[in-house]
Amino acid sequence: MDRVAIADSLFALATCLDEKDWVTLAASLTDDTQSYGVVGVAETVARVRYCLDACGLTQHLIGNVRIEQDGRDVAVRSSFRAFHAGIGDLTGATYECLGDYDDRWRRTADGWRLAARTVRIRGELGDRSVIGL
């Protein structure tokens, strides 16, 4: 198991979110990904875009990364803090959430890919409408 490559993949996915790089996000997922409450690459990207296209700048910080081998996949739990700035009528408003990502990462011929993600929010600050909710 390559802990550094797995952690780098986790951090790269967070960068895709902040840069709104949907092509690279899609390439970071397994074809059968079960992430953000939906199944499949197109569905996952659409779910993420729904929230992040509704807001301006974001910053997804990740820490406390724990990695364990679990069959063919690797279980990764990490803590996150995600900041979102409002745009348009919500300029000046913010939404921030704190929690954990419970992930499963899979080694593929093209590197580590996200096979599953459950987001567990432990705290929220601000206005959820910033992310369209």
Side-chain angles (χ1 to χ4, degrees), residues 69-109:
Q69 185 70 44
D70 186 18
R72 84 177 208 192
D73 293 341
V74 174
V76 180
R77 174 173 268 192
S78 58
S79 300
F80 72 86
R81 185 171 189 164
F83 175 85
H84 310 82
I87 56 174
D89 292 343
L90 294 170
T91 297
T94 61
Y95 172 70
E96 189 168 12
C97 55
L98 315 147
D100 299 297
Y101 293 134
D102 286 320
D103 293 346
R104 289 194 150 333
W105 288 82
R106 184 173 301 145
R107 184 191 301 272
T108 71

Side-chain angles (χ1 to χ4, degrees), residues 9-120:
S9 297
L10 174 66
F11 301 143
L13 194 141
T15 299
C16 289
L17 300 178
D18 292 334
E19 293 179 353
K20 299 182 182 184
D21 181 349
W22 311 130
V23 172
T24 304
L25 174 63
S28 301
L29 307 171
T30 62
D31 291 339
D32 62 345
T33 190
Q34 297 179 19
S35 301
Y36 298 97
V38 296
V39 177
V41 173
E43 294 80 359
T44 299
V45 172
R47 173 67 55 95
V48 171
R49 287 191 73 168
Y50 177 83
C51 293
L52 297 185
D53 281 347
C55 64
L57 297 174
T58 66
Q59 185 177 51
H60 292 75
L61 302 176
I62 298 176
N64 301 331
V65 178
R66 285 115 27 225
I67 301 171
E68 295 180 16
Q69 185 70 44
D70 186 18
R72 84 177 208 192
D73 293 341
V74 174
V76 180
R77 174 173 268 192
S78 58
S79 300
F80 72 86
R81 185 171 189 164
F83 175 85
H84 310 82
I87 56 174
D89 292 343
L90 294 170
T91 297
T94 61
Y95 172 70
E96 189 168 12
C97 55
L98 315 147
D100 299 297
Y101 293 134
D102 286 320
D103 293 346
R104 289 194 150 333
W105 288 82
R106 184 173 301 145
R107 184 191 301 272
T108 71
D110 298 317
W112 290 96
R113 300 292 181 258
L114 182 67
R117 170 167 282 175
T118 300
V119 180
R120 300 187 195 288

